[in-house]
Amino acid sequence: MPENSRRLLRRAVLNESGAERVRRGHPWIFRGNIMQAPQCAPGDIIPLEEKNGSRVAWGLWSESELCIRILSFGSHEPDQMTLLRRRAERALEHRRCWCPGDESFRWVHGEGDGLPGITADLYGDTLVLQLSAMGWYRHAEEVAAIFRKVKKLSAVILRNDTKHLEKEGIPREIKPLLGEMPASPIKAKIAGFDEYVDISGGQKTGAYLDVRAVPALLDSVFQGAAVLDCFSYQGHFTLRALARGAASVTAVDQSKNALDAAARNIDLNSLDGSRAKFVCGNAFDILRNLDAERARYDIVIMDPPPFSPAKGQLDAARRGYKELAVRGLRRLSSGGYMLFMSCSHAFSRDMLLDVLLSAAVDVKANCRVVTEISQPPDHPALLAAPETNYLKGFVIGVE
Ligand SMILES: C[S@@+](CC[C@H](N)C(=O)[O-])C[C@H]1O[C@@H](n2cnc3c(N)ncnc32)[C@H](O)[C@@H]1O
C-alpha cells in the first residue's frame, strides 16, 4: 500500500465534539468523539485530525470506550519514550520542589503529569508502577528502565490489579519489572513515620499516599484528645495522633490486615500502643454501636472509600456520606472537630459541603469550616480534565 494511504488509515478523525475536547486540552477522547477510527494495533501512537485534515494532537490508541489518551498537542509526532523520560524528569523536579524531604510520594500521576495511563508511586528506592493503557503496558520493561535512568531505584514492581484493565486487553498481574519482588512488606518513610508497606497485597500501591500530609492539619488539637479514626487503613492519622499526644485513638477499618499493619507501625515508631484501640468491621455498624454507647470523642476522622465511582450513583453516595457525617457529628464533644474527606471523582466539593450542612442541621450543630483539604502537589489535577480532581475534604469545628 502506498505510504500516503497507510498514513490516511492510521489516523483518527475527530468529530465536532472531539475537536472541541482537543481545543480545550482534554487528554481523553471517547468513541463518540471520533468519526473515523484508525486502522492500527491497540497501543499504537496515532495522529488526531480534524475534519479538514489539520493534525491537532497525538495519542495512544486503545480498543476501549476511552479510545485515545492524548500525549501531545500539535502536529509534530512525539517519540514516545523520549517524551516519557522528559515528563518523568519534570514530574520528579516538581515533587522535589513541592514535596521537599519526602521519601515516599506519587512520582507520576497520570494525566496530571502529561502521562495518561501511568501511575508511579515511590517508596524510598522502590517504585510501584500501574500501567493502565496498552500503549505503556506493551513497553513495560522499557518504561521501567526509563524511570531507573531518571532516578536510582532498587526495584520497579508492576502492580496491575486495578479496575478496567480487561477493557484495555491488559492482563492483571503483579510482578517485578526490574530487581526482585520483596518477600514481605517493605519499610518506607511516609510523612515522617516509618511504615510497613505491602506493595504487592496492600490497598492501592500499598499506601494511601494522597492523604499522607492531611493528619498534620490536626497537629495543634491532637494533644490530650480522644480520637476516632474511621476508615483508618494502616494508620496515617492514628500514628500522627499518638505521636502528638492524643489521649486515646480508636482506629476503625473493615480490613484486619490494615489494622494489623497499623499496630505494627505503632511499634515500628516506638509509640505508646496502649493508647490505641483497633476495631475491625463495617464502620457504619460500628458507628451505630458507638451511638448506642453514647461514646464521645474530641476529634472524629472520616476518610471513607469512594462511594460514587459513577455519576449515576450520586444519590447513594450522598446518603452514605450523610449517614457518616450525622453519626460523626453526634459522637463529638462540644468544641470538637470532624475531618471529613471524599475521594469520589463524581462527588464535587460543593456536594460534600451540602451534605455536611444537611448533617449539621439534622444534629442541630453549629459548625464552621476550619480548613479545606484538596489534592496534594504530587497528585496534580488537570484544569482541562475536571474528572482528575477527586480528593476533597473539610475540617469542621463544632459548637
Ligand atoms: C480511603 S481509605 C482510608 C485511608 C486512610 N485514612 C489512611 O490514612 O491511609 C478507605 C479505607 O476504608 C476501608 N473500608 C472500606 N469500606 C469500609 C467499611 N464499610 N467499613 C470500614 N472500613 C471500610 C478500607 O479498608 C480502607 O482502608
Side-chain angles (χ1 to χ4, degrees):
M1 188 188 297
E3 178 59 21
N4 208 22
S5 319
R6 233 195 323 266
R7 281 184 54 191
L8 282 176
L9 291 175
R10 199 179 142 232
R11 63 189 183 149
V13 182
L14 298 162
N15 61 22
E16 205 30 62
S17 69
E20 179 57 21
R21 282 177 86 80
V22 172
R23 276 195 285 276
R24 294 175 67 87
H26 204 298
W28 299 341
I29 297 295
F30 293 90
R31 292 266 170 185
N33 302 131
I34 55 176
M35 50 196 287
Q36 184 192 308
Q39 288 190 12
C40 66
D44 281 357
I45 183 158
I46 50 138
L48 282 70
E49 293 183 3
E50 292 190 359
K51 264 188 293 195
N52 63 10
S54 60
R55 199 160 270 192
V56 288
W58 289 79
L60 298 175
W61 175 252
S62 127
E63 293 294 331
S64 66
E65 188 54 32
L66 196 185
C67 59
I68 302 170
R69 289 170 176 87
I70 294 179
L71 288 186
S72 68
F73 294 93
S75 58
H76 175 70
E77 178 172 6
D79 176 76
Q80 192 180 342
M81 293 303 150
T82 309
L83 177 143
L84 169 62
R85 177 155 185 172
R86 241 188 307 114
R87 292 195 182 163
E89 283 169 351
R90 200 179 59 194
L92 190 59
E93 277 164 26
H94 173 83
R95 272 69 181 167
R96 287 196 173 126
C97 173
W98 289 96
C99 316
D102 273 0
E103 292 174 27
S104 304
F105 52 82
R106 176 155 293 184
W107 176 352
V108 167
H109 185 61
E111 294 72 15
D113 288 297
L115 291 169
I118 301 186
T119 297
D121 283 351
L122 189 70
Y123 297 100
D125 61 2
T126 300
L127 186 71
V128 186
L129 271 182
Q130 293 182 322
L131 303 177
S132 55
M134 183 55 91
W136 296 117
Y137 172 74
R138 71 180 200 190
H139 304 294
E141 271 80 17
E142 207 180 335
V143 169
I146 285 176
F147 275 98
R148 192 155 69 175
K149 273 187 201 146
V150 176
K151 187 180 188 312
K152 205 165 157 234
L153 299 167
S154 64
V156 180
I157 306 299
L158 179 68
R159 174 81 196 256
N160 260 10
D161 59 351
T162 48
K163 285 188 282 184
H164 309 309
L165 289 174
E166 289 78 12
K167 290 185 195 159
E168 292 285 321
I170 298 176
R172 288 174 175 267
E173 55 187 339
I174 301 173
K175 64 176 189 186
L177 293 170
L178 288 170
E180 300 286 318
M181 190 76 180
S184 52
I186 59 171
K187 264 195 228 171
K189 184 76 95 196
I190 303 183
F193 291 91
D194 291 314
E195 285 193 34
Y196 289 109
V197 180
D198 182 355
I199 56 174
S200 58
Q203 297 182 28
K204 304 264 258 186
T205 57
Y208 286 85
L209 289 174
D210 53 357
V211 297
R212 70 187 186 286
V214 178
L217 294 175
L218 297 170
D219 273 0
S220 51
V221 287
F222 274 139
Q223 181 65 42
V227 178
L228 177 63
D229 180 5
C230 278
F231 307 96
S232 65
Y233 191 49
Q234 52 182 49
H236 284 143
F237 288 92
T238 293
L239 290 174
R240 188 100 195 173
L242 290 174
R244 297 289 157 156
S248 68
V249 184
T250 303
V252 175
D253 203 284
Q254 70 180 12
S255 161
K256 171 90 169 59
N257 285 345
L259 292 178
D260 289 348
R264 283 199 302 276
N265 287 337
I266 290 173
D267 290 344
L268 188 62
N269 290 280
S270 308
L271 294 168
D272 174 9
S274 69
R275 286 183 280 136
K277 185 172 145 194
F278 303 98
V279 186
C280 186
N282 184 340
F284 288 87
D285 297 338
I286 290 159
L287 282 162
R288 264 177 232 126
N289 296 343
L290 293 175
D291 251 349
E293 291 167 22
R294 298 188 175 277
R296 290 279 172 203
Y297 301 91
D298 304 301
I299 299 174
V300 171
I301 293 149
M302 293 283 179
D303 183 15
F307 285 157
S308 63
K311 283 219 168 88
Q313 288 150 16
L314 281 178
D315 279 342
R318 208 171 270 120
R319 282 194 299 277
Y321 285 131
K322 168 99 182 264
E323 179 170 349
L324 289 178
V326 166
R327 292 194 187 280
L329 288 175
R330 283 208 188 117
R331 299 283 51 79
L332 274 183
S333 317
S334 179
Y337 297 93
M338 180 165 74
L339 184 151
F340 201 106
M341 300 191 67
S342 161
C343 54
S344 301
H345 294 258
F347 209 79
S348 70
R349 162 197 186 272
D350 290 349
M351 290 175 195
L352 184 59
L353 264 183
D354 248 19
V355 162
L356 293 174
L357 170 62
S358 142
V361 170
D362 281 14
V363 176
K364 298 190 173 50
N366 183 8
C367 300
R368 64 193 184 284
V369 174
V370 175
T371 192
E372 182 162 356
I373 299 156
S374 57
Q375 258 156 257
D378 60 335
H379 289 65
L382 199 61
L383 213 48
E387 306 89 323
T388 59
N389 194 348
Y390 70 99
L391 193 68
K392 64 280 298 180
F394 297 92
V395 177
I396 50 180
V398 182
E399 294 308 328

